[in-house]
Amino acid sequence: MSDGRSGSGFGGESLLFLTDEQLRQGIEAMFFAYRGFTADPDRILAELAYGRAHHRALHFISRSPGTTVNNLLSILGVTKQSLNRVLRALVEDGLVDSRVGTLDKRERNLYLTEQGLELEQRLSDAQRIRMRSAYKQAGPEAVQGFKKVLEAMMDADMRRAYVEMREKPQ
């Protein structure tokens, strides 16, 4: 049985005995992959003077039309002040429609406008192209393993939210 110390990567070694060096390489790979994953949307967002927070809000509003501000706060893990700043810009620019709640008038339900849907589609298309290409290169077993690693890195509450969202029809 391998002790995980042979070789320099994290390829065929036993995953139960990863060295600190192998873990460091994995952490660095995540950093660089995230830069690549966000690069294309960042260029689109920069043209509009938006940032990644705007992208995340658009993504999750698109994924759950009618979501509440409180639900979005929970998913994004940002402060109310930060989210309000992002939402104010998106509403003022005609990308998000904020409607008074039907059951609770204090609640705000969020929907993307036609323009918001178009922008969200552009941003997501850029990421889908990159993900599709990476998945094709890696193959189905690696894709399943990658998904398992990502899910294992999630906190329990985030994993529950992820599973709930994943099970919603798109």
Side-chain angles (χ1 to χ4, degrees):
M1 177 176 212
S2 170
D3 68 359
R5 295 172 194 268
S6 60
S8 61
F10 33 83
E13 297 88 30
S14 169
L15 296 180
L16 297 177
F17 300 101
L18 290 172
T19 65
D20 285 346
E21 174 62 16
Q22 290 167 319
L23 292 170
R24 184 191 57 75
Q25 290 175 14
I27 291 166
E28 289 172 357
M30 286 283 292
F31 282 128
F32 284 106
Y34 182 72
R35 281 185 61 188
F37 181 69
T38 57
D40 298 321
D42 282 352
R43 281 189 283 278
I44 296 167
L45 292 162
E47 294 169 9
L48 303 166
Y50 290 150
R52 291 180 186 161
H54 297 88
H55 181 192
R56 288 189 295 271
L58 290 168
H59 174 84
F60 287 107
I61 295 168
S62 171
R63 191 66 176 92
S64 297
T67 192
T68 64
V69 172
N70 282 337
N71 187 51
L72 202 53
L73 279 168
S74 172
I75 290 170
L76 297 178
V78 298
T79 65
K80 188 178 274 192
Q81 180 181 7
S82 175
L83 182 59
N84 283 337
R85 181 183 48 78
V86 166
L87 288 176
R88 188 176 315 111
L90 294 173
V91 168
E92 287 173 2
D93 293 345
L95 300 170
V96 170
D97 184 21
S98 175
R99 303 177 193 165
V100 175
T102 53
L103 300 175
D104 185 345
K105 302 297 182 200
R106 297 169 296 174
E107 217 171 49
R108 295 287 178 261
N109 298 102
L110 305 169
Y111 300 86
L112 295 186
T113 64
E114 193 63 40
Q115 188 180 351
L117 287 166
E118 289 173 12
L119 176 58
E120 195 283 326
Q121 185 72 43
R122 276 182 65 205
L123 297 167
S124 291
D125 282 350
Q127 291 181 316
R128 272 190 286 274
I129 289 167
R130 190 176 290 266
M131 290 286 286
R132 186 173 286 114
S133 174
Y135 281 178
K136 281 182 180 178
Q137 287 178 36
E141 286 182 20
V143 171
Q144 283 304 105
F146 178 66
K147 182 179 167 209
K148 285 181 182 179
V149 169
L150 292 176
E151 289 175 355
M153 289 173 49
M154 295 176 195
D155 292 337
D157 289 343
M158 286 294 97
R159 192 174 312 111
R160 270 192 298 280
Y162 165 73
V163 168
E164 285 174 18
M165 185 170 293
R166 191 179 65 201
E167 292 173 353
K168 283 184 183 179
Q170 184 62 334

